[in-house]
Amino acid sequence: MVTTDRDADGGNAAAPTAAGGQAPGPLRGPLARFRVAAFATGIGLLGLVAVMVIRYGFDNAGPSAVYSPIHGVVYMIYLVLAVDLALKARWSVKGTVGVLLAGCVPLLSFWVERKVHQRVTAGQKL
């Protein structure tokens, strides 16, 4: 009987990480773009919360009228870049939808960005 490294550890070995903790070659660009978009979306959501406090707490709709469309564009860019990474990394539909929805919850996009980065660099699917 021939044994392999996979047989020796019972097939429970984690996927190998790319050298230097980086994503595999074809995923480096999409992952970097996603990370920037996730960070921008997280900052944008915090700004949107501040604008909504000004709008509803202080009855001043001016900042909201300017900032809300800007935030909408930033979120649309996040959606496009997340789907691009999802297609290239071959994520499940459930994982993709989860990442897309994470851009709607303040502070959650920062956490999801870290998890996505860890999984993609480890060669794992979402």
Side-chain angles (χ1 to χ4, degrees), residues 38 102 105-118:
V105 180
L107 301 176
L108 188 58
S109 66
F110 298 114
W111 182 76
V112 167
E113 180 272 325
R114 276 313 302 153
K115 291 298 175 185
V116 166
H117 180 259
Q118 289 171 354

Side-chain angles (χ1 to χ4, degrees), residues 34-52 67-68 70-75 78 102-113:
F34 169 77
R35 292 183 75 190
V36 170
F39 184 77
T41 299
I43 296 295
L45 278 170
L46 294 176
L48 187 63
V49 167
V51 166
M52 291 296 114
Y67 187 76
S68 295
I70 294 169
H71 167 70
V73 169
V74 170
Y75 182 66
Y78 170 81
C104 297
V105 180
L107 301 176
L108 188 58
S109 66
F110 298 114
W111 182 76
V112 167
E113 180 272 325

Side-chain angles (χ1 to χ4, degrees), residues 19-116:
Q22 294 181 352
L27 296 178
R28 282 189 191 140
L31 180 60
R33 289 187 293 273
F34 169 77
R35 292 183 75 190
V36 170
F39 184 77
T41 299
I43 296 295
L45 278 170
L46 294 176
L48 187 63
V49 167
V51 166
M52 291 296 114
V53 167
I54 292 169
R55 179 179 183 140
Y56 295 110
F58 299 102
D59 200 28
N60 182 0
S64 175
V66 173
Y67 187 76
S68 295
I70 294 169
H71 167 70
V73 169
V74 170
Y75 182 66
M76 292 301 141
I77 292 169
Y78 170 81
L79 291 177
V80 168
L81 294 176
V83 168
D84 177 50
L85 179 60
L87 292 173
K88 291 179 180 170
R90 304 182 62 107
W91 293 349
S92 68
V93 173
K94 181 180 172 183
T96 302
V97 170
V99 169
L100 296 178
L101 291 176
C104 297
V105 180
L107 301 176
L108 188 58
S109 66
F110 298 114
W111 182 76
V112 167
E113 180 272 325
R114 276 313 302 153
K115 291 298 175 185
V116 166

